Amino acid sequence: MEEVDKIQMRKRNMKLFPIYKRLSWDYIFFYTINFLFLTQVKNINPADVILIDSFYYLFAMFAQIPATFTIEFLGRKNSIIIGNILSCLYMVVIIFSNNLFNLIIAEILSATSFAIKESAEPSLLNESIPQSKHKGKIFARISQKGMSGYYIIDAITKVAAGFLYDVNPYIPIILSLTILLIATFLAMLFVEPVKNVKTKKIKNTSQLKEIKEAFRFVLSSERVKGLILFACVMTGLISVLSNYEISLLEELEVSASLLGIIFAMLEIVSALAIKKQEKFHNKFRNKSLTTIGFSTIGACFLAGTIGVIALKYPIAITFIIAIYILRYISSGMYYPLIEKYLSNFTNKDIDTKIFIANNLLKSISSVIIGIMASFLLDRMETAYCMIIMGIIFFLLMIFVSKFMKERVGLRPEEYPKEEIKYDKEMTLDIK
């Protein structure tokens, strides 16, 4: 009977997960109008809005440890529910905010929410898939369904939010909150995949020892360190480009309405790219991540170079958009692949710790890279900033690719037993 319940759990979670992820991966109806809402409706200084945005990753860094204990002691399902409730509270604070202090509270709520969700969600999916040599492919396929669906919905709502904002600035924010409430309800429909959830007090030394041992594995595993190192560089690059790309087109006097349409189309490009991630992986194998990394860096450098030309020849803007398409194809395939690789050779004892460690180190690197990007943008035009950042990231990616070459993407039998000790099936196969 217990085995029947486990099968039902797996079917339910695997079927529900992509539907849930389409609505909860990030805020919908929000990112095209949030800056306008805070500056025009709430009369908050634009510089303060930009400043508080740059501190998101700082708050996320400190939120990782509480997120670890939340997932460890409340379980994956309950943690996802809590994460979504915090996102709802974030949107409520945004609606009623009227000063910088309110924004700080909002960013703390949002950072804590995503610190929990970004570790608990892939862990729940990972533990809902039965152990087999195809587990990684199944994980990536389910995750990519949710991500591609999100991109399509986000593309549509990006355009709609601009029109709704003109009708009433509060409508897009309220719609965003409504979708978050639906996502919270969907999270309640999951079945907890790990039944022996720890509910004892945190001071229980044996449980703390388990967490410490798991983190020791994360920090000693050459494979995991290589993946996290790549994720740190790639996340920093994508976060910089998400601001630089808009800034470059604004400097080239592209209208706000056209910007909304361009970036909505780019979201659709990412949605289509996600569906090709498995074919991409099969073609490039252990070079998949570095190919994505160098493609994104090349797009950054080329967009900056053509941006310099476009200052005199506006027709060059067309080439910039074409380069953006390349970037969004690369980043679209990156997200499901990095989740898949991080979840390989893991089980319930280690998967959440790997995702937590990944999020923690990504937050640290994003703070440093964000400060650097802001420093450059304050002193020169965006096109030149993109050229400089492209060179910096190119050098970083060379170092990361060399580090990963003999550590990531190997066949299971090529790894030391210590690297795959949490995957019982792989361990048995090697024996």
Side-chain angles (χ1 to χ4, degrees):
M1 192 66 180
E2 185 177 341
E3 188 62 30
V4 174
D5 291 340
K6 187 176 289 187
I7 292 172
Q8 292 300 319
M9 174 275 291
R10 295 189 191 284
K11 288 182 177 179
R12 186 186 186 97
N13 287 354
M14 292 166 66
K15 185 177 180 179
L16 180 62
F17 191 87
I19 300 171
Y20 162 79
K21 193 153 192 170
R22 285 168 194 157
L23 300 179
S24 68
W25 194 27
D26 210 339
Y27 302 124
I28 295 174
F29 276 109
F30 187 67
Y31 287 116
T32 53
I33 53 83
N34 59 321
F35 186 84
L36 295 175
F37 181 80
L38 293 173
T39 55
Q40 295 179 0
V41 179
K42 298 299 181 177
N43 297 316
I44 295 173
N45 190 301
D48 290 338
V49 176
I50 295 173
L51 177 66
I52 201 64
D53 279 348
S54 68
F55 277 91
Y56 168 85
Y57 286 106
L58 182 63
F59 298 144
M61 181 176 66
F62 289 109
Q64 297 305 319
I65 300 303
T68 304
F69 287 113
T70 300
I71 299 168
E72 188 71 16
F73 292 96
L74 296 183
R76 291 146 180 81
K77 173 187 173 179
N78 291 335
S79 297
I80 293 172
I81 294 171
I82 290 172
N84 280 283
I85 290 173
L86 291 173
S87 289
C88 292
L89 292 175
Y90 164 76
M91 208 59 66
V92 171
V93 173
I94 291 294
I95 291 173
F96 293 101
S97 63
N98 52 29
N99 55 49
L100 185 59
F101 177 75
N102 294 153
L103 287 183
I104 292 173
I105 298 299
E107 291 301 319
I108 291 173
L109 290 169
S110 182
T112 306
S113 167
F114 282 100
I116 295 172
K117 288 170 60 179
E118 287 175 358
S119 296
E121 289 171 353
S123 178
L124 180 138
L125 176 59
N126 188 51
E127 295 308 319
S128 299
I129 302 172
Q131 286 290 343
S132 74
K133 63 180 181 180
H134 300 296
K135 183 174 181 178
K137 290 183 179 180
I138 297 170
F139 181 99
R141 193 177 300 120
I142 294 173
S143 186
Q144 66 119 81
K145 284 182 182 178
M147 291 178 184
S148 61
Y150 166 82
Y151 278 125
I152 292 172
I153 292 171
D154 190 47
I156 296 170
T157 57
K158 263 185 168 66
V159 177
F163 292 104
L164 293 171
Y165 182 87
D166 290 335
V167 176
N168 187 318
Y170 284 89
I171 293 177
I173 309 294
I174 293 172
L175 287 174
S176 185
L177 174 60
T178 302
I179 290 176
L180 286 171
L181 289 170
I182 295 172
T184 305
F185 172 74
L186 290 175
M188 294 177 181
L189 300 180
F190 284 123
V191 179
E192 175 60 47
V194 181
K195 294 301 181 181
N196 59 333
V197 176
K198 300 176 178 66
T199 56
K200 297 180 182 180
K201 294 181 179 180
I202 293 177
K203 66 181 180 181
N204 187 309
T205 55
S206 64
Q207 293 173 1
L208 289 174
K209 186 177 179 180
E210 289 180 20
I211 297 173
K212 185 178 179 180
E213 179 65 26
F215 271 107
R216 187 180 291 116
F217 166 77
V218 169
L219 297 175
S220 64
S221 169
E222 295 297 315
R223 184 188 72 90
V224 174
K225 281 193 292 187
L227 289 171
I228 291 178
L229 188 61
F230 179 87
C232 288
V233 174
M234 195 68 183
T235 300
L237 175 60
I238 291 174
S239 65
V240 167
L241 287 177
S242 64
N243 291 313
Y244 274 8
E245 286 166 347
I246 296 173
S247 179
L248 178 61
L249 292 180
E250 283 182 335
E251 289 179 3
L252 296 174
E253 299 182 353
V254 176
S255 68
S257 58
L258 186 56
L259 277 176
I261 295 172
I262 289 170
F263 283 95
M265 291 175 61
L266 290 172
E267 293 289 307
I268 294 175
V269 167
S270 285
L272 296 174
I274 284 177
K275 295 180 178 180
K276 302 296 182 181
Q277 56 83 22
E278 190 169 335
K279 289 184 178 179
F280 181 85
H281 166 75
N282 291 335
K283 181 177 181 179
F284 291 96
R285 292 294 176 179
N286 60 347
K287 295 182 180 179
S288 297
L289 290 181
T290 52
T291 301
I292 288 172
F294 282 115
S295 298
T296 307
I297 292 166
C300 175
F301 182 83
L302 286 174
T305 303
I306 297 176
V308 174
I309 299 172
L311 293 172
K312 293 184 178 180
Y313 305 100
I315 194 172
I317 293 174
T318 304
F319 293 97
I320 292 175
I321 296 172
I323 291 168
Y324 284 4
I325 291 174
L326 172 63
R327 199 282 274 186
Y328 274 76
I329 290 173
S330 297
S331 60
M333 288 187 289
Y334 163 71
Y335 289 112
L337 284 176
I338 193 65
E339 282 191 357
K340 169 186 173 181
Y341 297 154
L342 284 170
S343 65
N344 281 344
F345 315 137
T346 64
N347 64 11
K348 62 183 176 60
D349 298 319
I350 195 66
D351 54 6
T352 55
K353 287 81 175 182
I354 289 177
F355 291 119
I356 287 286
N358 180 52
N359 292 336
L360 174 63
L361 295 174
K362 282 195 309 182
S363 297
I364 295 172
S365 66
S366 295
V367 170
I368 297 170
I369 293 169
I371 292 172
M372 184 192 308
S374 178
F375 176 83
L376 290 174
L377 193 59
D378 194 41
R379 286 159 176 77
M380 60 185 73
E381 293 175 336
T382 306
Y384 294 104
C385 293
M386 294 181 83
I387 293 172
I388 293 172
M389 293 302 289
I391 294 171
I392 292 172
F393 276 102
F394 178 74
L395 297 174
L396 287 173
M397 191 57 69
I398 289 177
F399 166 75
V400 172
S401 63
K402 287 184 176 180
F403 183 87
M404 293 172 63
K405 189 175 182 180
E406 297 179 356
R407 297 173 171 87
V408 178
L410 308 178
R411 291 189 295 271
E413 62 271 17
E414 294 177 316
Y415 284 111
K417 290 183 180 180
E418 183 68 19
E419 290 277 0
I420 59 173
K421 68 179 183 180
Y422 288 98
D423 192 318
K424 294 180 180 178
E425 181 163 324
M426 292 298 180
T427 305
L428 290 172
D429 288 344
I430 291 175
K431 288 179 181 179

